Amino acid sequence: MTQSVKSSGSIPAQRRTPSTFASLRQTITRKRELTEAMAQEEILGRLDSRRAHWYRVIGRKLPERYVEDVYGQVCLQIAEDFEKHDASTVKDVDGYIAKVCIRCASDKLRRHTTEAKALQNGKAQTAMGHPQAVNDHDNVVARERYLIVRNVMAEVLTERQHLIYVLRHVKDLNSPEIGAALDISAVLARKELSAAQKALDRKEVKQRLRSLLHEER
């Protein structure tokens, strides 16, 4: 008697060997790397093609003479981001670049404050540490003139007035930029700057300042 065999009707699952899994992983990795490379290319292309726009974004927070330097920092920061994060996760390219521009400009403002405080405290070499400060002739002249009269200014100004004066006349920041650097309003920055100028305009103070600057010549 012949024994009947019942079929389940199902197709046996294909058996995957270790080499099959390795091949799949390689395919997925290649696709991910290709996508990431394309994303990086798009970001870098937008960074270059819209350079004038990014200059304007940076220029809203800093004087024009610092913009190119900060744009260079933006390029470096984005390159560092590529090493740490998958560029393909960036959905809003313009928004991402704008954020990096603002972050780098804010970092520059903080460096200005650090350098100004170093000058204020008589640590001139610390303030000279940033290449832009050394290469900018006007900045160098303003800094050297300030160091001559620093002690007099420290006597007649409050600490904040003194710092704001240095940020304005040595670092060349305007009131909104000073406000952003010190986390105060632009109105308060202007008020403190006006009070500092008023104190320095007193006859006896002006005579002392002029005497010091004349002796230096």
Side-chain angles (χ1 to χ4, degrees):
M1 183 180 214
T2 305
Q3 185 177 6
S4 63
V5 178
K6 293 184 179 180
S7 174
S8 63
S10 62
I11 300 175
Q14 183 178 359
R15 190 173 182 182
R16 294 181 177 177
T17 65
S19 61
T20 304
F21 284 111
S23 177
L24 285 171
R25 282 198 297 271
Q26 289 175 358
T27 300
I28 292 171
T29 299
R30 282 197 297 270
K31 287 183 178 179
R32 184 169 61 244
E33 289 175 348
L34 179 62
T35 302
E36 187 172 357
M38 291 171 63
Q40 291 180 4
E41 185 177 351
E42 181 185 4
I43 292 170
L44 293 176
R46 199 79 60 86
L47 180 64
D48 183 59
S49 65
R50 303 198 67 198
R51 180 180 301 205
H53 173 71
W54 308 128
Y55 271 37
R56 288 193 294 273
V57 171
I58 297 168
R60 295 186 193 124
K61 296 183 74 69
L62 288 167
E64 183 178 354
R65 65 180 181 176
Y66 297 114
V67 169
E68 187 173 357
D69 177 56
V70 171
Y71 176 80
Q73 292 299 316
V74 170
C75 295
L76 290 175
Q77 182 61 63
I78 288 176
E80 289 179 8
D81 285 353
F82 286 166
E83 294 179 1
K84 299 175 183 177
H85 308 290
D86 184 346
S88 64
T89 61
V90 176
K91 303 305 179 185
D92 180 1
V93 173
D94 285 350
Y96 162 68
I97 297 175
K99 286 180 181 178
V100 177
C101 287
I102 293 170
R103 185 165 71 244
C104 288
S106 297
D107 288 344
K108 180 70 171 179
L109 283 176
R110 282 191 288 271
R111 286 197 297 273
H112 277 316
T113 304
T114 299
E115 292 165 3
K117 286 180 178 178
L119 282 170
Q120 185 183 5
N121 295 325
K123 299 176 182 178
Q125 287 189 337
T126 302
M128 292 169 60
H130 194 266
Q132 181 72 14
V134 176
N135 295 332
D136 190 322
H137 178 264
D138 292 338
N139 186 281
V140 170
V141 171
R143 185 187 64 228
E144 297 306 322
R145 286 173 61 86
Y146 162 73
L147 288 174
I148 295 169
V149 299
R150 182 185 62 83
N151 291 338
V152 174
M153 294 181 65
E155 291 177 16
V156 300
L157 302 179
T158 67
E159 186 174 346
R160 185 160 69 177
Q161 288 171 352
H162 193 175
L163 179 58
I164 288 175
Y165 192 92
V166 175
L167 288 170
R168 177 68 188 95
H169 294 286
V170 178
K171 306 307 294 181
D172 196 31
L173 303 185
N174 60 30
S175 295
E177 292 159 354
I178 292 171
L182 300 182
D183 197 23
I184 61 176
S185 69
V187 173
L188 180 55
R190 281 192 292 270
K191 182 179 178 180
E192 291 281 54
L193 186 59
S194 177
Q197 193 61 61
K198 186 176 180 179
L200 295 173
D201 282 342
R202 295 205 306 267
K203 184 177 180 180
E204 65 275 15
V205 176
K206 289 179 74 171
Q207 286 178 342
R208 291 176 65 189
L209 296 175
R210 286 173 180 170
S211 176
L212 287 169
L213 291 171
H214 180 73
E215 288 175 4
E216 182 64 19
R217 293 177 190 173

